[in-house]
Amino acid sequence: MSVHNNVKRVTTHVLYEMKENGEKISMLTGYDYSMARIIDTAGIDVILVGDSASNVMAGHETTLPITLDQMIYHASSVVRAVERALVVVDMPFGSYQGNSKEALSNAIRIMKESGGHAVKMEGGQEILESISRILTAGIPVMGHLGLTPQSIYKFGTYVVRAKEQEEADRLIEDAKALEEAGCFAIVLEKIPADLATKVAKEVSIPIIGIGAGGGVDGQVLVVHDMLGINNEFKPRFLRKYHNLFEEMLGSFQRYIEDVRSGDFPNDQEQY
Ligand code: KIV
């Protein structure tokens, strides 16, 4: 860990060591300064500035519309809040598929303009050229396999991936290819737990799961989902630590009542 303001920062190397020592890695998404400050203070290892910002922050149905500039805006807000966690930034749809030179310049923009520590990219062997080019610039890359939401129009649905042997075999090959290319970790999303456990055993880099069971090296959740801010999303893998939708709704309703009744502000709440 490197030392900054007396706080030991989490680096990609620390994550390798955690895997080697059998210590589980905790990761949550973060998109803004205030939430990232709380998450970092809690002692999270990795904050992912996910392109799920497209859903939970902007209200889009998919992750596809979010732009590179918007991702940089979210990531720079998170970076300003964080003293300890490793900050990983999703490369948005269209910023790395197809043209590896453009992929590199987009990854460089993320690193320069947001101050993030690494990028994440969805896909396996089909995006290896972009991954390798980005890695040559010294930018750490986290892979993402299984359910890759940027390909939702190819899949057609958000159901569990790689249940069939052929897709499971391809996923294992992809994970090995990402490891060999030099990725520092891989997110596995919504695949059978047995398959995820096998991948975590067969590659030496950390495997972080979401809906991939407990046999992997760490877990990630979307912060709005685990806090229950988004009360419509209830997949089986999600553990809700709060029901903030209901709690916040109640607070907003009480505030509205207090303003309307003249109860707020009272004598102590004015100058
Ligand atoms: O964008 C995101 O939040 C993600 C996680 C679900 C892993 O990619």
mmCIF file of all heavy atoms in Angstrom, residues 102-141:
data_model
loop_
_atom_site.group_PDB
_atom_site.id
_atom_site.type_symbol
_atom_site.label_atom_id
_atom_site.label_comp_id
_atom_site.label_asym_id
_atom_site.label_seq_id
_atom_site.Cartn_x
_atom_site.Cartn_y
_atom_site.Cartn_z
ATOM 1 N N GLU A 102 -8.181 4.513 -30.586
ATOM 2 C CA GLU A 102 -9.175 5.372 -29.910
ATOM 3 C C GLU A 102 -9.368 4.919 -28.468
ATOM 4 O O GLU A 102 -9.542 5.732 -27.566
ATOM 5 C CB GLU A 102 -10.521 5.286 -30.633
ATOM 6 C CG GLU A 102 -10.692 6.350 -31.678
ATOM 7 C CD GLU A 102 -12.041 6.246 -32.370
ATOM 8 O OE1 GLU A 102 -13.037 5.859 -31.726
ATOM 9 O OE2 GLU A 102 -12.074 6.532 -33.576
ATOM 10 N N ALA A 103 -9.350 3.581 -28.275
ATOM 11 C CA ALA A 103 -9.510 3.044 -26.919
ATOM 12 C C ALA A 103 -8.421 3.597 -26.010
ATOM 13 O O ALA A 103 -8.688 4.040 -24.884
ATOM 14 C CB ALA A 103 -9.448 1.518 -26.946
ATOM 15 N N LEU A 104 -7.176 3.599 -26.512
ATOM 16 C CA LEU A 104 -6.067 4.108 -25.703
ATOM 17 C C LEU A 104 -6.250 5.594 -25.403
ATOM 18 O O LEU A 104 -6.105 6.033 -24.266
ATOM 19 C CB LEU A 104 -4.723 3.865 -26.408
ATOM 20 C CG LEU A 104 -3.505 4.463 -25.708
ATOM 21 C CD1 LEU A 104 -3.356 3.920 -24.290
ATOM 22 C CD2 LEU A 104 -2.235 4.204 -26.501
ATOM 23 N N SER A 105 -6.616 6.380 -26.441
ATOM 24 C CA SER A 105 -6.731 7.814 -26.130
ATOM 25 C C SER A 105 -7.901 8.075 -25.194
ATOM 26 O O SER A 105 -7.830 8.968 -24.345
ATOM 27 C CB SER A 105 -6.769 8.692 -27.387
ATOM 28 O OG SER A 105 -7.809 8.282 -28.205
ATOM 29 N N ASN A 106 -8.957 7.273 -25.259
ATOM 30 C CA ASN A 106 -10.075 7.457 -24.317
ATOM 31 C C ASN A 106 -9.674 7.056 -22.890
ATOM 32 O O ASN A 106 -10.044 7.719 -21.926
ATOM 33 C CB ASN A 106 -11.290 6.657 -24.783
ATOM 34 C CG ASN A 106 -11.905 7.259 -26.044
ATOM 35 O OD1 ASN A 106 -11.781 8.464 -26.277
ATOM 36 N ND2 ASN A 106 -12.551 6.438 -26.858
ATOM 37 N N ALA A 107 -8.896 5.966 -22.780
ATOM 38 C CA ALA A 107 -8.430 5.548 -21.447
ATOM 39 C C ALA A 107 -7.499 6.614 -20.859
ATOM 40 O O ALA A 107 -7.560 6.922 -19.663
ATOM 41 C CB ALA A 107 -7.712 4.206 -21.533
ATOM 42 N N ILE A 108 -6.658 7.194 -21.710
ATOM 43 C CA ILE A 108 -5.748 8.256 -21.244
ATOM 44 C C ILE A 108 -6.569 9.459 -20.763
ATOM 45 O O ILE A 108 -6.273 10.047 -19.724
ATOM 46 C CB ILE A 108 -4.744 8.643 -22.360
ATOM 47 C CG1 ILE A 108 -3.723 7.513 -22.529
ATOM 48 C CG2 ILE A 108 -4.039 9.968 -22.033
ATOM 49 C CD1 ILE A 108 -2.741 7.688 -23.663
ATOM 50 N N ARG A 109 -7.621 9.814 -21.495
ATOM 51 C CA ARG A 109 -8.482 10.930 -21.052
ATOM 52 C C ARG A 109 -9.056 10.644 -19.663
ATOM 53 O O ARG A 109 -9.087 11.510 -18.804
ATOM 54 C CB ARG A 109 -9.637 11.138 -22.043
ATOM 55 C CG ARG A 109 -9.278 12.053 -23.204
ATOM 56 C CD ARG A 109 -10.537 12.629 -23.844
ATOM 57 N NE ARG A 109 -11.273 13.478 -22.912
ATOM 58 C CZ ARG A 109 -12.570 13.779 -23.037
ATOM 59 N NH1 ARG A 109 -13.267 13.304 -24.058
ATOM 60 N NH2 ARG A 109 -13.169 14.550 -22.156
ATOM 61 N N ILE A 110 -9.524 9.404 -19.460
ATOM 62 C CA ILE A 110 -10.097 9.060 -18.147
ATOM 63 C C ILE A 110 -9.056 9.251 -17.054
ATOM 64 O O ILE A 110 -9.307 9.878 -16.018
ATOM 65 C CB ILE A 110 -10.638 7.607 -18.157
ATOM 66 C CG1 ILE A 110 -11.898 7.514 -19.022
ATOM 67 C CG2 ILE A 110 -10.920 7.118 -16.726
ATOM 68 C CD1 ILE A 110 -12.478 6.113 -19.166
ATOM 69 N N MET A 111 -7.852 8.725 -17.290
ATOM 70 C CA MET A 111 -6.813 8.790 -16.257
ATOM 71 C C MET A 111 -6.384 10.238 -16.000
ATOM 72 O O MET A 111 -6.265 10.664 -14.861
ATOM 73 C CB MET A 111 -5.593 7.959 -16.677
ATOM 74 C CG MET A 111 -5.878 6.492 -16.922
ATOM 75 S SD MET A 111 -6.478 5.602 -15.479
ATOM 76 C CE MET A 111 -4.965 5.340 -14.568
ATOM 77 N N LYS A 112 -6.148 11.001 -17.073
ATOM 78 C CA LYS A 112 -5.675 12.387 -16.936
ATOM 79 C C LYS A 112 -6.738 13.295 -16.332
ATOM 80 O O LYS A 112 -6.468 14.086 -15.462
ATOM 81 C CB LYS A 112 -5.352 12.942 -18.333
ATOM 82 C CG LYS A 112 -3.900 12.948 -18.704
ATOM 83 C CD LYS A 112 -3.772 13.722 -20.014
ATOM 84 C CE LYS A 112 -2.446 13.508 -20.675
ATOM 85 N NZ LYS A 112 -1.342 14.164 -20.022
ATOM 86 N N GLU A 113 -7.966 13.192 -16.836
ATOM 87 C CA GLU A 113 -8.985 14.182 -16.479
ATOM 88 C C GLU A 113 -9.752 13.834 -15.200
ATOM 89 O O GLU A 113 -10.341 14.710 -14.582
ATOM 90 C CB GLU A 113 -9.965 14.376 -17.652
ATOM 91 C CG GLU A 113 -9.293 14.968 -18.873
ATOM 92 C CD GLU A 113 -10.227 15.105 -20.058
ATOM 93 O OE1 GLU A 113 -11.420 15.381 -19.875
ATOM 94 O OE2 GLU A 113 -9.734 14.915 -21.199
ATOM 95 N N SER A 114 -9.777 12.538 -14.826
ATOM 96 C CA SER A 114 -10.520 12.184 -13.605
ATOM 97 C C SER A 114 -9.588 11.896 -12.426
ATOM 98 O O SER A 114 -9.999 12.010 -11.280
ATOM 99 C CB SER A 114 -11.403 10.955 -13.848
ATOM 100 O OG SER A 114 -10.627 9.763 -13.821
ATOM 101 N N GLY A 115 -8.370 11.470 -12.728
ATOM 102 C CA GLY A 115 -7.466 11.078 -11.638
ATOM 103 C C GLY A 115 -7.744 9.668 -11.134
ATOM 104 O O GLY A 115 -7.208 9.259 -10.101
ATOM 105 N N GLY A 116 -8.596 8.915 -11.840
ATOM 106 C CA GLY A 116 -8.864 7.514 -11.478
ATOM 107 C C GLY A 116 -7.598 6.674 -11.572
ATOM 108 O O GLY A 116 -6.594 7.102 -12.158
ATOM 109 N N HIS A 117 -7.658 5.482 -10.977
ATOM 110 C CA HIS A 117 -6.449 4.658 -10.874
ATOM 111 C C HIS A 117 -6.402 3.497 -11.862
ATOM 112 O O HIS A 117 -5.370 2.848 -12.006
ATOM 113 C CB HIS A 117 -6.331 4.096 -9.450
ATOM 114 C CG HIS A 117 -6.497 5.118 -8.386
ATOM 115 N ND1 HIS A 117 -7.269 4.948 -7.264
ATOM 116 C CD2 HIS A 117 -5.994 6.384 -8.307
ATOM 117 C CE1 HIS A 117 -7.231 6.034 -6.516
ATOM 118 N NE2 HIS A 117 -6.474 6.919 -7.124
ATOM 119 N N ALA A 118 -7.538 3.190 -12.492
ATOM 120 C CA ALA A 118 -7.602 2.032 -13.404
ATOM 121 C C ALA A 118 -8.894 2.156 -14.212
ATOM 122 O O ALA A 118 -9.796 2.916 -13.845
ATOM 123 C CB ALA A 118 -7.620 0.729 -12.602
ATOM 124 N N VAL A 119 -8.976 1.389 -15.304
ATOM 125 C CA VAL A 119 -10.224 1.360 -16.087
ATOM 126 C C VAL A 119 -10.778 -0.061 -16.105
ATOM 127 O O VAL A 119 -10.040 -1.022 -15.874
ATOM 128 C CB VAL A 119 -10.020 1.873 -17.537
ATOM 129 C CG1 VAL A 119 -9.592 3.329 -17.544
ATOM 130 C CG2 VAL A 119 -9.031 1.001 -18.308
ATOM 131 N N LYS A 120 -12.083 -0.158 -16.350
ATOM 132 C CA LYS A 120 -12.711 -1.480 -16.516
ATOM 133 C C LYS A 120 -13.350 -1.544 -17.899
ATOM 134 O O LYS A 120 -13.922 -0.552 -18.371
ATOM 135 C CB LYS A 120 -13.765 -1.727 -15.426
ATOM 136 C CG LYS A 120 -14.501 -3.075 -15.606
ATOM 137 C CD LYS A 120 -15.260 -3.498 -14.362
ATOM 138 C CE LYS A 120 -16.603 -2.854 -14.181
ATOM 139 N NZ LYS A 120 -17.575 -3.083 -15.281
ATOM 140 N N MET A 121 -13.244 -2.724 -18.518
ATOM 141 C CA MET A 121 -13.777 -2.911 -19.871
ATOM 142 C C MET A 121 -14.527 -4.228 -19.949
ATOM 143 O O MET A 121 -14.077 -5.232 -19.398
ATOM 144 C CB MET A 121 -12.616 -2.936 -20.878
ATOM 145 C CG MET A 121 -11.856 -1.623 -20.914
ATOM 146 S SD MET A 121 -10.186 -1.791 -21.555
ATOM 147 C CE MET A 121 -10.520 -2.051 -23.288
ATOM 148 N N GLU A 122 -15.657 -4.226 -20.630
ATOM 149 C CA GLU A 122 -16.480 -5.435 -20.757
ATOM 150 C C GLU A 122 -16.078 -6.228 -22.003
ATOM 151 O O GLU A 122 -16.008 -5.667 -23.098
ATOM 152 C CB GLU A 122 -17.968 -5.045 -20.880
ATOM 153 C CG GLU A 122 -18.511 -4.397 -19.625
ATOM 154 C CD GLU A 122 -20.006 -4.091 -19.725
ATOM 155 O OE1 GLU A 122 -20.660 -4.505 -20.712
ATOM 156 O OE2 GLU A 122 -20.517 -3.431 -18.803
ATOM 157 N N GLY A 123 -15.844 -7.546 -21.813
ATOM 158 C CA GLY A 123 -15.576 -8.398 -22.971
ATOM 159 C C GLY A 123 -14.318 -9.222 -22.801
ATOM 160 O O GLY A 123 -13.513 -8.970 -21.886
ATOM 161 N N GLY A 124 -14.153 -10.208 -23.702
ATOM 162 C CA GLY A 124 -13.015 -11.121 -23.634
ATOM 163 C C GLY A 124 -12.097 -10.933 -24.820
ATOM 164 O O GLY A 124 -11.632 -9.819 -25.098
ATOM 165 N N GLN A 125 -11.888 -12.073 -25.544
ATOM 166 C CA GLN A 125 -10.890 -12.053 -26.612
ATOM 167 C C GLN A 125 -11.171 -11.023 -27.700
ATOM 168 O O GLN A 125 -10.256 -10.507 -28.339
ATOM 169 C CB GLN A 125 -10.771 -13.459 -27.188
ATOM 170 C CG GLN A 125 -10.121 -14.381 -26.155
ATOM 171 C CD GLN A 125 -10.341 -15.851 -26.424
ATOM 172 O OE1 GLN A 125 -9.707 -16.400 -27.305
ATOM 173 N NE2 GLN A 125 -11.232 -16.475 -25.682
ATOM 174 N N GLU A 126 -12.462 -10.685 -27.894
ATOM 175 C CA GLU A 126 -12.820 -9.738 -28.956
ATOM 176 C C GLU A 126 -12.306 -8.322 -28.685
ATOM 177 O O GLU A 126 -12.225 -7.507 -29.611
ATOM 178 C CB GLU A 126 -14.347 -9.759 -29.201
ATOM 179 C CG GLU A 126 -15.222 -9.148 -28.115
ATOM 180 C CD GLU A 126 -15.440 -10.042 -26.881
ATOM 181 O OE1 GLU A 126 -14.833 -11.122 -26.779
ATOM 182 O OE2 GLU A 126 -16.234 -9.623 -26.012
ATOM 183 N N ILE A 127 -11.950 -8.013 -27.440
ATOM 184 C CA ILE A 127 -11.431 -6.654 -27.161
ATOM 185 C C ILE A 127 -9.975 -6.689 -26.683
ATOM 186 O O ILE A 127 -9.470 -5.709 -26.140
ATOM 187 C CB ILE A 127 -12.320 -5.896 -26.142
ATOM 188 C CG1 ILE A 127 -12.432 -6.659 -24.809
ATOM 189 C CG2 ILE A 127 -13.690 -5.569 -26.708
ATOM 190 C CD1 ILE A 127 -12.763 -5.757 -23.630
ATOM 191 N N LEU A 128 -9.314 -7.826 -26.906
ATOM 192 C CA LEU A 128 -7.933 -7.978 -26.394
ATOM 193 C C LEU A 128 -6.963 -6.943 -26.959
ATOM 194 O O LEU A 128 -6.063 -6.485 -26.259
ATOM 195 C CB LEU A 128 -7.390 -9.368 -26.727
ATOM 196 C CG LEU A 128 -7.536 -10.445 -25.653
ATOM 197 C CD1 LEU A 128 -6.690 -11.645 -26.011
ATOM 198 C CD2 LEU A 128 -7.151 -9.911 -24.267
ATOM 199 N N GLU A 129 -7.161 -6.572 -28.240
ATOM 200 C CA GLU A 129 -6.244 -5.602 -28.846
ATOM 201 C C GLU A 129 -6.317 -4.262 -28.099
ATOM 202 O O GLU A 129 -5.290 -3.659 -27.777
ATOM 203 C CB GLU A 129 -6.607 -5.419 -30.321
ATOM 204 C CG GLU A 129 -5.539 -4.682 -31.094
ATOM 205 C CD GLU A 129 -5.951 -4.439 -32.534
ATOM 206 O OE1 GLU A 129 -6.474 -5.359 -33.193
ATOM 207 O OE2 GLU A 129 -5.749 -3.288 -32.989
ATOM 208 N N SER A 130 -7.552 -3.837 -27.789
ATOM 209 C CA SER A 130 -7.710 -2.565 -27.049
ATOM 210 C C SER A 130 -7.115 -2.676 -25.655
ATOM 211 O O SER A 130 -6.420 -1.777 -25.181
ATOM 212 C CB SER A 130 -9.186 -2.185 -26.940
ATOM 213 O OG SER A 130 -9.692 -1.846 -28.207
ATOM 214 N N ILE A 131 -7.390 -3.817 -24.988
ATOM 215 C CA ILE A 131 -6.861 -4.012 -23.627
ATOM 216 C C ILE A 131 -5.329 -3.941 -23.649
ATOM 217 O O ILE A 131 -4.713 -3.235 -22.851
ATOM 218 C CB ILE A 131 -7.335 -5.364 -23.044
ATOM 219 C CG1 ILE A 131 -8.845 -5.315 -22.760
ATOM 220 C CG2 ILE A 131 -6.563 -5.725 -21.774
ATOM 221 C CD1 ILE A 131 -9.432 -6.596 -22.192
ATOM 222 N N SER A 132 -4.712 -4.668 -24.595
ATOM 223 C CA SER A 132 -3.241 -4.726 -24.640
ATOM 224 C C SER A 132 -2.660 -3.348 -24.895
ATOM 225 O O SER A 132 -1.675 -2.950 -24.262
ATOM 226 C CB SER A 132 -2.779 -5.668 -25.748
ATOM 227 O OG SER A 132 -3.316 -6.939 -25.498
ATOM 228 N N ARG A 133 -3.276 -2.587 -25.788
ATOM 229 C CA ARG A 133 -2.745 -1.253 -26.101
ATOM 230 C C ARG A 133 -2.837 -0.332 -24.868
ATOM 231 O O ARG A 133 -1.928 0.434 -24.571
ATOM 232 C CB ARG A 133 -3.507 -0.651 -27.282
ATOM 233 C CG ARG A 133 -2.716 0.429 -28.001
ATOM 234 C CD ARG A 133 -3.517 0.982 -29.142
ATOM 235 N NE ARG A 133 -3.307 0.271 -30.384
ATOM 236 C CZ ARG A 133 -2.459 0.672 -31.338
ATOM 237 N NH1 ARG A 133 -1.732 1.742 -31.163
ATOM 238 N NH2 ARG A 133 -2.363 -0.001 -32.464
ATOM 239 N N ILE A 134 -3.944 -0.429 -24.158
ATOM 240 C CA ILE A 134 -4.118 0.404 -22.954
ATOM 241 C C ILE A 134 -3.094 0.005 -21.890
ATOM 242 O O ILE A 134 -2.493 0.856 -21.227
ATOM 243 C CB ILE A 134 -5.573 0.292 -22.438
ATOM 244 C CG1 ILE A 134 -6.522 0.988 -23.419
ATOM 245 C CG2 ILE A 134 -5.722 0.890 -21.042
ATOM 246 C CD1 ILE A 134 -7.993 0.735 -23.173
ATOM 247 N N LEU A 135 -2.879 -1.301 -21.758
ATOM 248 C CA LEU A 135 -1.902 -1.778 -20.763
ATOM 249 C C LEU A 135 -0.489 -1.297 -21.090
ATOM 250 O O LEU A 135 0.297 -1.013 -20.176
ATOM 251 C CB LEU A 135 -1.938 -3.311 -20.693
ATOM 252 C CG LEU A 135 -3.156 -3.896 -19.961
ATOM 253 C CD1 LEU A 135 -3.296 -5.386 -20.251
ATOM 254 C CD2 LEU A 135 -3.048 -3.659 -18.450
ATOM 255 N N THR A 136 -0.165 -1.180 -22.394
ATOM 256 C CA THR A 136 1.197 -0.730 -22.750
ATOM 257 C C THR A 136 1.448 0.694 -22.276
ATOM 258 O O THR A 136 2.594 1.101 -22.106
ATOM 259 C CB THR A 136 1.460 -0.780 -24.277
ATOM 260 O OG1 THR A 136 0.483 0.037 -24.916
ATOM 261 C CG2 THR A 136 1.425 -2.188 -24.825
ATOM 262 N N ALA A 137 0.374 1.465 -22.067
ATOM 263 C CA ALA A 137 0.542 2.841 -21.580
ATOM 264 C C ALA A 137 0.647 2.874 -20.053
ATOM 265 O O ALA A 137 0.696 3.950 -19.448
ATOM 266 C CB ALA A 137 -0.631 3.692 -22.033
ATOM 267 N N GLY A 138 0.640 1.706 -19.430
ATOM 268 C CA GLY A 138 0.783 1.661 -17.970
ATOM 269 C C GLY A 138 -0.531 1.897 -17.244
ATOM 270 O O GLY A 138 -0.542 2.229 -16.057
ATOM 271 N N ILE A 139 -1.635 1.738 -17.955
ATOM 272 C CA ILE A 139 -2.945 1.932 -17.316
ATOM 273 C C ILE A 139 -3.477 0.565 -16.886
ATOM 274 O O ILE A 139 -3.677 -0.317 -17.737
ATOM 275 C CB ILE A 139 -3.942 2.599 -18.299
ATOM 276 C CG1 ILE A 139 -3.402 3.960 -18.732
ATOM 277 C CG2 ILE A 139 -5.332 2.715 -17.671
ATOM 278 C CD1 ILE A 139 -4.205 4.622 -19.848
ATOM 279 N N PRO A 140 -3.724 0.359 -15.586
ATOM 280 C CA PRO A 140 -4.249 -0.940 -15.150
ATOM 281 C C PRO A 140 -5.668 -1.167 -15.674
ATOM 282 O O PRO A 140 -6.489 -0.244 -15.675
ATOM 283 C CB PRO A 140 -4.248 -0.838 -13.621
ATOM 284 C CG PRO A 140 -3.349 0.318 -13.291
ATOM 285 C CD PRO A 140 -3.464 1.259 -14.448
ATOM 286 N N VAL A 141 -5.919 -2.403 -16.114
ATOM 287 C CA VAL A 141 -7.235 -2.743 -16.674
ATOM 288 C C VAL A 141 -7.883 -3.866 -15.869
ATOM 289 O O VAL A 141 -7.268 -4.904 -15.615
ATOM 290 C CB VAL A 141 -7.115 -3.190 -18.155
ATOM 291 C CG1 VAL A 141 -8.480 -3.627 -18.702
ATOM 292 C CG2 VAL A 141 -6.553 -2.073 -19.025
#
